[in-house]
Amino acid sequence: MLKEVIATRYIAPLREGGSLPGLVEADDLGTYVMKFTGAGQGRKTLVAEVICAELARRLGLRVPGLVTIGLDAVLGLGEPEQQVQDLLRSSGGTNLGMDFLSGALGFDPLAFEVSGEEAGRIVWFDALVNNVDRSWRNPNLLMSQGDLWLIDHGATMIWHHNWPGADASATRSYDASDHALARFRPDVAGAAADLAPRVTEELLAEVTAQVPDAWLVGEPGFDTPDDLRRAYARPLLARAAAVHERVTGIEEGT
Ligand SMILES: Nc1ncnc2c1ncn2[C@@H]1O[C@H](COP(=O)(O)OP(=O)(O)O)[C@@H](O)[C@H]1O
Ligand SMILES: [Mg+2]
């Protein structure tokens, strides 16, 4: 279970992204980047964020800590900006929060160096979850005190938008030619040798268990949240073994 906190103050919107995440303060006095159930794709985006971040964390990649944030929609009433007010008012209940990396810089592929080993691990992971949102135009990587952190996993696992086609969709290749780390000679095969055996049914059960029931209930074709959790685990388990052979568009390191 993710730690649960309650939002006490909306501080400011974070403008770079498309989904208008906000900076909020919570009842544990923590400051979090909050992603709202009422935004765009809503719950599915949040499910993807949790599964990918918790999987990445267990594979040794750096991701900010996650919490769930309870929101009382009345917190939106005082917001002067209409767009923010609408978002808060439509997001009562359970939302997602992540630790705010204060002072972090957006990753610039032309300004920072990354080892082929680290690049390989990240490209391999993105191929596994089919992340289409880590391009050099929009890396969704932060640099904090010399370390790379992965954020924004909302646009992954495209197959969860069409469950009947999920197994077929999960066999597709991953085009990494636009990937933010493509120029660092990512050692994808080396990463696969280390990481793929760690993506087990048990690990995926532990990862998917972190998703709050509130974001899983009512999905057409699934009777219970646990049925849907298993549906999320299946394509990842199937992809893990051989996805490195289906990464296209990069010159691999050795
Ligand atoms: N944990 C974090 N710590 C610091 N800044 C963050 C964090 N998460 C997001 N941001 C900032 O907010 C921006 C938008 O967040 P992101 O998760 O990419 O949302 P979107 O779906 O809108 O692209 C990021 O580009 C980054 O600048
Ligand atoms: Mg983003």
Side-chain angles (χ1 to χ4, degrees):
M1 275 282 285
L2 300 179
K3 175 179 168 182
E4 294 175 27
V5 303
I6 305 286
T8 49
R9 187 166 72 95
Y10 182 85
I11 302 170
L14 288 169
R15 290 263 173 227
E16 292 119 289
S19 67
L20 208 65
L23 207 54
V24 303
E25 200 171 81
D27 61 346
D28 64 347
L29 303 181
T31 302
Y32 298 99
V33 174
M34 182 160 169
K35 297 221 160 174
F36 297 91
T37 44
Q41 299 272 3
R43 304 190 318 175
K44 278 199 179 175
T45 307
L46 304 189
V47 173
E49 292 266 12
V50 173
I51 291 177
C52 293
E54 293 304 321
L55 179 56
R57 190 190 320 287
R58 284 161 180 78
L59 296 176
L61 298 167
R62 262 178 244 98
V63 283
L66 299 186
V67 297
T68 60
I69 305 186
L71 176 71
D72 184 336
V74 298
L75 208 68
L77 294 178
E79 281 306 315
E81 211 181 315
Q82 192 62 45
Q83 201 186 1
V84 172
Q85 188 179 124
D86 291 345
L87 193 57
L88 292 172
R89 288 169 65 143
S90 62
S91 299
T94 304
N95 296 266
L96 179 66
M98 72 196 72
D99 290 337
F100 177 60
L101 302 176
S102 171
L105 297 174
F107 175 78
D108 178 346
L110 299 177
F112 298 103
E113 269 309 313
V114 180
S115 72
E117 193 209 333
E118 185 170 24
R121 296 165 80 83
I122 295 171
V123 171
W124 181 83
F125 174 75
D126 284 334
L128 176 68
V129 299
N130 192 51
N131 187 2
V132 297
D133 224 357
R134 193 109 59 210
S135 71
W136 54 268
R137 287 178 213 86
N138 181 22
N140 288 308
L141 292 166
L142 299 180
M143 277 305 262
S144 180
Q145 298 176 350
D147 286 328
L148 259 188
W149 292 75
L150 278 54
I151 60 163
D152 196 357
H153 298 103
T156 57
M157 303 189 291
I158 189 170
W159 45 84
H160 72 156
H161 297 293
N162 176 25
W163 285 117
D167 288 345
S169 164
T171 62
R172 300 239 175 89
S173 61
Y174 181 72
D175 178 6
S177 53
D178 270 354
H179 196 283
L181 303 181
R183 65 173 283 254
F184 298 101
R185 301 181 71 84
D187 180 8
V188 176
D194 177 26
L195 300 180
R198 293 159 63 181
V199 181
T200 60
E201 205 170 336
E202 293 72 35
L203 185 80
L204 291 167
E206 183 189 319
V207 163
T208 54
Q210 308 301 310
V211 181
D213 282 356
W215 303 338
L216 298 170
V217 292
E219 175 74 7
F222 297 89
D223 292 334
T224 68
D226 279 341
D227 288 344
L228 186 51
R229 288 187 175 95
R230 280 186 285 274
Y232 272 101
R234 239 167 91 107
L236 296 176
L237 191 63
R239 269 171 94 79
V243 74
H244 61 285
E245 292 165 3
R246 298 199 298 267
V247 176
T248 62
I250 49 163
E251 197 181 320
E252 265 208 52
T254 46

